[in-house]
Amino acid sequence: MRHRVKTKSFHRPKEQREALFINLAVALIENGRIETTLPKAKALRPFVEKLVTLAKKETVAARRILNSRLRNNTKAATKLFKEIAPLMKERNGGYTRIYKLDKRRRGDDAQMAIIEFVEYPEKD
């Protein structure tokens, strides 16, 4: 029975699942939007929103926690602190949105989705 099980396992061990979410989060932070499967996008949303909430605090402790959660990816952490968090300063959550796509992935017929930040800095 699945009593009190809140997360999807994606048929992976815990370490692989954490690595998956970290890689997806870094890709989302660097690009502003990514295309992935719908279940992965839905599971990624709370992970990323907690990172943005942490980045809004702008303290040394928050920076260290964020670096450890992103496995010392300082490039993504810096971008989150300097570019994304200031745009989300007035928001109290809901930093990302998910669009369901009509296309399905060839091979396993998985439903695809786009996850993106609601506000993202324009590329120069």
Side-chain angles (χ1 to χ4, degrees), residues 12-111:
R12 291 176 165 91
K14 181 182 179 216
E15 292 81 15
Q16 288 180 14
R17 198 168 47 247
E18 286 176 357
L20 170 74
F21 288 141
I22 291 166
N23 289 332
L24 286 173
V26 167
L28 180 63
I29 291 166
E30 289 176 352
N31 300 315
R33 69 167 34 194
I34 57 171
E35 184 177 323
T36 183
T37 62
L38 184 61
K40 286 179 187 174
K42 286 183 176 181
L44 179 65
R45 174 184 266 176
F47 184 80
V48 170
E49 296 210 357
K50 288 174 188 171
L51 294 178
V52 174
T53 302
L54 189 63
K56 284 170 54 176
K57 292 182 182 175
E58 297 179 5
T59 62
V60 174
R63 186 174 294 271
R64 287 178 178 164
I65 292 170
L66 192 67
N67 269 329
S68 79
R69 293 216 180 129
L70 291 177
R71 298 285 194 263
N72 293 324
N73 190 327
T74 54
K75 181 180 173 187
T78 304
K79 185 164 188 176
L80 194 57
F81 267 99
K82 295 203 175 182
E83 296 179 21
I84 298 171
L87 291 175
M88 309 291 181
K89 205 63 167 169
E90 300 300 318
R91 283 186 178 271
N92 293 326
Y95 310 118
T96 58
R97 69 168 66 101
I98 297 174
Y99 293 115
K100 293 180 185 176
L101 298 178
D102 287 337
K103 71 177 187 177
R104 291 184 168 269
R105 186 165 61 192
R106 186 177 174 161
D108 63 353
D109 201 37
Q111 185 172 6

Side-chain angles (χ1 to χ4, degrees), residues 2 4-10 17 21 43:
R2 297 190 68 248
R4 298 179 66 159
V5 176
K6 295 185 181 202
T7 59
K8 288 192 170 235
S9 67
F10 294 108
R17 198 168 47 247
F21 288 141

